[in-house]
Amino acid sequence: MYAKRLDNLPPYLFAQIDALKAQKRAEGVDVIDFGVGDPDLPTPKHIVDSLCDAARDPSTHHYPDYTGMIEYREAVSEWYKKRFNVDLNPKTEVLALIGSKEGIAHVPEAFVNPGDYVLATDPGYPVYKTSTLFSEGKLHQLPLTEDNDFLPALDEIPADVLKKAKLMFFGYPNNPTAAVAPLSFFEEVVEFAKENEIVVVHDNAYSEITYDGYKAPSFLEADGAKEVGMEMHSLSKTYNMTGWRLGMAVGGEKFIAGLGRVKTNVDSGAFDAIQRAGITALTSSQECVSDACRVYQERRDVLVAGLRDLGFEVNSPKATFYVWMKVDDCMSFAQKMLNEAGIVVTPGVGFGSNGEGYVRFAITRSVERIEEALERMRGLEY
Ligand SMILES: *Cc1c(COP(=O)(O)O)cnc(C)c1O
């Protein structure tokens, strides 16, 4: 009954963990879930209030503009200027998205012909792969390993792949490895993309979730970035707005226009009242963002110190709300954690074959719960 493209989707490895988690909960186990990449903190009140006001205004009740309200696109443009010193024409270089996942899912439709190669980091955000498969492109994995600081080695891509490569997905601060990239790497990507005529899609969902004074760059800060591609960004992680579905694609006009043509034919834009709340988020004080980072930073410190104390090898991340930890066999480690300690972590292989040997903790749980988890782990044999 189903189309072949559904058969072609990779097996949903998390389903196994999900089923086990449900079973444990049914058995009455107090499960501590570090699996979900979704902030536990609420959306700041001034943003919620702004949505309530906007939803009461009947002018927001109609079909939105396909490309986003011009006021929202202006707010995005001003935020990029203030935050990254990047100039964006709100009319042609900014597109509202129904969350950045939506943009990532649709972008190959605009640029990839069947048989074209799409380059995507592995481990990586799973939608890079599924959107490639939906567009009938061929995936070429760019392995992220500790040896290369979890940055793809662009000079190791085979020449025959490069010849047919059309699109590249990557993102730093990175999910799941929590690695960061220097601006010089983005500059390298621009040169690489120019040379090989590749459309670059940089996924920057975590640029604001940073620690120890680190400030993450935008891909568009690299000279010439707008000539080769675009950046996907989102209000989800920055303002604890994952459920609201609001993001933006920003970058070169022709790339934004291509994605826009796909979207015009499949969706009708983000709810205007949510865009108005998004304007409030982007244009008011950013103190709520530093407050959230302080909360994550304390959790990171407790978790990393505790894991090292237990003998694990783990880097303290400069950004994202993930801790990427080395283990022997990620599936059996994750199963053991759940079965014997009631703790959910995500096996790295769920993000691609190069994720084997790692598990991901999302620090979207309180310090108390992290301490409780560490206490439970103390009794385990690994
Ligand atoms: C969360 C996430 C996204 C998508 O976020 P949206 O809620 O769809 O804006 C995109 N990329 C990465 C790497 C993410 O972790």
Side-chain angles (χ1 to χ4, degrees), residues 21-50:
K21 180 166 74 180
Q23 185 196 324
K24 288 286 153 198
R25 286 209 165 113
E27 287 167 13
V29 175
D30 170 27
V31 172
I32 305 178
D33 192 351
F34 296 113
V36 249
D38 187 352
D40 57 319
L41 308 168
T43 307
K45 183 175 178 300
H46 64 286
I47 302 173
V48 177
D49 288 344
S50 170

Side-chain angles (χ1 to χ4, degrees), residues 37 98-102 104 125 128 173-175 203 205-206 233-237 241-242 245-247 322 360:
I98 309 170
S100 57
K101 179 180 186 177
E102 181 261 304
I104 294 164
Y125 185 60
Y128 305 157
N174 185 261
N175 173 14
D203 181 7
Y206 295 95
H233 213 307
S234 168
L235 280 70
S236 285
K237 314 290 163 55
M241 288 174 70
T242 48
R245 315 311 305 135
L246 189 62
Y322 303 113
R360 190 192 76 176

Side-chain angles (χ1 to χ4, degrees), residues 140-155:
H140 179 80
Q141 300 175 347
L142 305 174
L144 303 185
T145 65
E146 190 136 27
D147 292 341
N148 55 29
D149 295 327
F150 300 106
L151 296 174
L154 301 174
D155 52 359

